[in-house]
Amino acid sequence: MFLRLFKYLWPERYLPEPEQADPFDDNPAPRAPAPAGVLLVNLGTPETATPRDIRRYLAAFLSDPRVIEIPRLLWLPILHGLVLARRPRRLQPRYAGIWMDGGSPLMVYSRRQAEGVQRALQARGRAVRVELAMRYGEPSIAQAMARLREQGCEHILTVPLYPQYAASTTATVVDAVAAHAARLRDQPELRFIKRFHDDPGYLDALAARIAAYWQAHGRPQKLVMSFHGLPRYSIELGDPYYRDCLETARLLRERLGLAADQVEVTFQSRFGAARWLEPYTEPTLKALAADGVTEVDVVCPGFVADCLETLEEISQECRDAFLGAGGRQFRYIPALNDDPAWVEGLAALVDNHLQGWPTGRDVGRTLDASAPSS
């Protein structure tokens, strides 16, 4: 009875591990070639655009002590007594307004990225299995790692899909992967990509996307690069996120051939009463309009897939704020999403970090030969 209770309360702790051969066989067969595993991890999303699923997602996300760095005794009553009681219903029409046939944009594009990276690595002759996970929600990290293990992956590279490192994003992925591995008896070998804010494939894909947009629609007076915000105290405590964002902005500006005064770097999605990274995006847009800037384009380099923060907060709320303050033209340049240049750049980044692991053609041919015929 107690075991059934534990399995109900903590189901991920009891996910079965791949079947093993007889451990006492005194003449074991040679180990079969094993592909490397790649675990792409994005933040997460509600399963549906309903208050119930939004509440479930927010409860997981905002309960993470790395995301909300307030003592648990103070924060949890606020979260469950106020935030989760009101915010899901307020967010429901916003999520519904951006929903796609296959789910939320973040889920749809993240899946396409994972599928594209799998194809690109196979085209390079790599014996690699790619799985997508969400840090909060499903497919969970535990579920995706279990699928990689079922496919024989003894080496797993985890790729948090956050170009700039932050403890509240990248580090939480490392925490979750390590926590799952801690429950395994036969652990895979693990690697992590910490950041790719200055990776040429990422930056080239961003620059090409912006340049193509301008070739089709013309250049604005100002380009605003809006990054997700963080509380200032996170940076004061040692988080490198602010520096990563500024480095990305500088390198992207140089690739586009823009002068410093043609670009504004801002931070969005402020939550709570604490002081966050500045300048804030919406007030900056209003100030630009008041100063006579009538045309702006906004790009969000920290998001590799469009989501509520880009499609609703930037493309709708910030647009209304800029036009309401006197601006005449506001355009949001979409995130990288499933852009072929980005998918290829991501595959190249992954391939580089797989060096030294068995991913060559010989492994792939052996695995294909041993696969059951359909």
Side-chain angles (χ1 to χ4, degrees), residues 3 37 57-58 99 138 151 227 254 258 352 367:
L3 181 58
Y57 163 70
L58 288 178
W99 216 252
E138 293 186 353
Q151 298 176 77
F227 294 85
E254 292 172 355
L258 299 176
N352 184 56
L367 288 168

Side-chain angles (χ1 to χ4, degrees), residues 124-146:
R124 291 167 175 252
R126 302 303 186 208
V128 173
R129 302 292 183 263
V130 180
E131 290 287 345
L132 172 68
M134 293 292 161
R135 176 60 185 89
Y136 311 100
E138 293 186 353
S140 70
I141 285 174
Q143 291 167 342
M145 288 187 70

Side-chain angles (χ1 to χ4, degrees), residues 132-197:
L132 172 68
M134 293 292 161
R135 176 60 185 89
Y136 311 100
E138 293 186 353
S140 70
I141 285 174
Q143 291 167 342
M145 288 187 70
R147 283 195 292 271
L148 290 173
R149 296 290 282 147
E150 288 167 2
Q151 298 176 77
C153 298
E154 291 285 345
H155 306 76
I156 296 178
L157 170 68
T158 298
V159 188
L161 291 172
Y162 313 114
Q164 297 77 30
Y165 174 91
S168 57
T169 54
T170 307
T172 70
V173 173
V174 178
D175 290 346
V177 170
H180 177 71
R183 298 192 288 267
L184 300 177
R185 184 170 297 278
D186 182 9
Q187 294 178 326
E189 186 172 342
L190 298 174
R191 287 182 187 170
F192 300 87
I193 293 181
K194 181 174 181 178
R195 55 162 68 86
F196 52 92
H197 71 296

Side-chain angles (χ1 to χ4, degrees), residues 58-70:
L58 288 178
F61 175 44
L62 297 177
S63 294
D64 191 328
R66 282 198 185 268
V67 174
I68 304 295
E69 296 185 81
I70 298 175

Side-chain angles (χ1 to χ4, degrees), residues 112-124:
R112 293 178 185 175
Q113 289 170 7
E115 293 165 358
V117 169
Q118 178 75 79
R119 290 192 298 268
L121 290 172
Q122 287 178 338
R124 291 167 175 252

Side-chain angles (χ1 to χ4, degrees), residues 10 41 49 113 121 156 236 240-242 254 264 280 289 346 356 366:
W10 297 288
V41 186
Q113 289 170 7
L121 290 172
I156 296 178
E236 293 164 356
Y241 177 75
Y242 181 66
E254 292 172 355
E264 297 285 339
Y280 303 136
L346 181 55
T366 305

Side-chain angles (χ1 to χ4, degrees), residues 91-107:
L91 288 177
Q92 190 276 330
R94 297 170 63 181
Y95 272 108
I98 65 167
W99 216 252
M100 301 173 69
D101 288 342
S104 74
L106 184 138
M107 179 63 77

